[in-house]
Amino acid sequence: MPRKPVSQVRADLPRKARRGDDRAVISGLSAKAVAEIARIERRAYAPGAAHQALREWRETVHAPGPTVMYPRWFRECPCCAPAWGGDHRETLEAICHGLSRRSARELRAVLAPLDERFLARTLNDPYASPRDRWWRRRLETP
């Protein structure tokens, strides 16, 4: 049975957190895309904003309950909302627009299954403004 090289064994070990490593990384993205997201977060948001927005979008999409869901966009408690606002899908879209084409394509590939599930679980709002984003044109909790 072949053995792993020592360098591979060391690479597989969990690494210690270093100074400045406080941001969360979205899995499935290249190092270049992660670096671009970190640059955007430093400029307009907070460290880890994209990861937190993706996590909350995933929680919204995979919320337990019946097949049809009616999302709530803003939290009841204003102190629990992030500093940049409560709309996590809007945050992800703004980050996508700030990235290069290749990095945005990678992030959209991570978002695509979540967006498809969201569209499948929500209903179209016939009275929504056509100027709203596509996720805002769905029926939400009254």
Side-chain angles (χ1 to χ4, degrees):
M1 182 165 140
R3 302 176 83 183
K4 284 184 180 179
V6 176
S7 61
Q8 183 62 44
V9 172
R10 287 187 184 131
D12 292 341
L13 291 174
R15 68 182 183 94
K16 294 179 182 178
R18 295 184 197 141
R19 192 176 194 174
D21 264 0
D22 58 347
R23 71 175 190 269
V25 177
I26 298 172
S27 61
L29 299 181
S30 67
K32 181 182 177 192
V34 170
E36 286 185 38
I37 289 172
R39 179 182 46 80
I40 292 170
E41 287 175 343
R42 279 193 307 270
R43 190 173 19 142
Y45 299 102
H51 184 267
Q52 181 181 355
L54 181 64
R55 185 182 39 137
E56 290 183 15
W57 180 239
R58 189 174 284 127
E59 287 173 6
T60 299
V61 168
H62 292 290
T67 305
V68 176
M69 70 176 196
Y70 301 95
R72 176 174 294 165
W73 294 113
F74 296 100
R75 296 183 181 179
E76 299 295 324
C77 179
C79 64
C80 296
W84 59 86
D87 192 351
H88 32 274
R89 187 58 180 90
E90 182 69 36
T91 303
L92 291 168
E93 192 68 21
I95 290 173
C96 281
H97 285 294
L99 295 172
S100 66
R101 284 185 186 175
R102 183 175 181 172
S103 299
R105 194 175 326 125
E106 290 179 26
L107 183 56
R108 288 186 197 282
V110 171
L111 292 173
L114 299 173
D115 293 344
E116 288 174 15
R117 183 172 170 91
F118 180 77
L119 285 171
R121 290 192 66 195
T122 56
L123 301 172
N124 188 34
D125 184 0
Y127 301 109
S129 171
R131 287 176 275 140
D132 286 344
R133 301 283 193 156
W134 64 266
W135 59 88
R136 290 300 201 147
R137 292 192 301 252
R138 311 305 280 176
L139 287 174
E140 55 186 284
T141 303

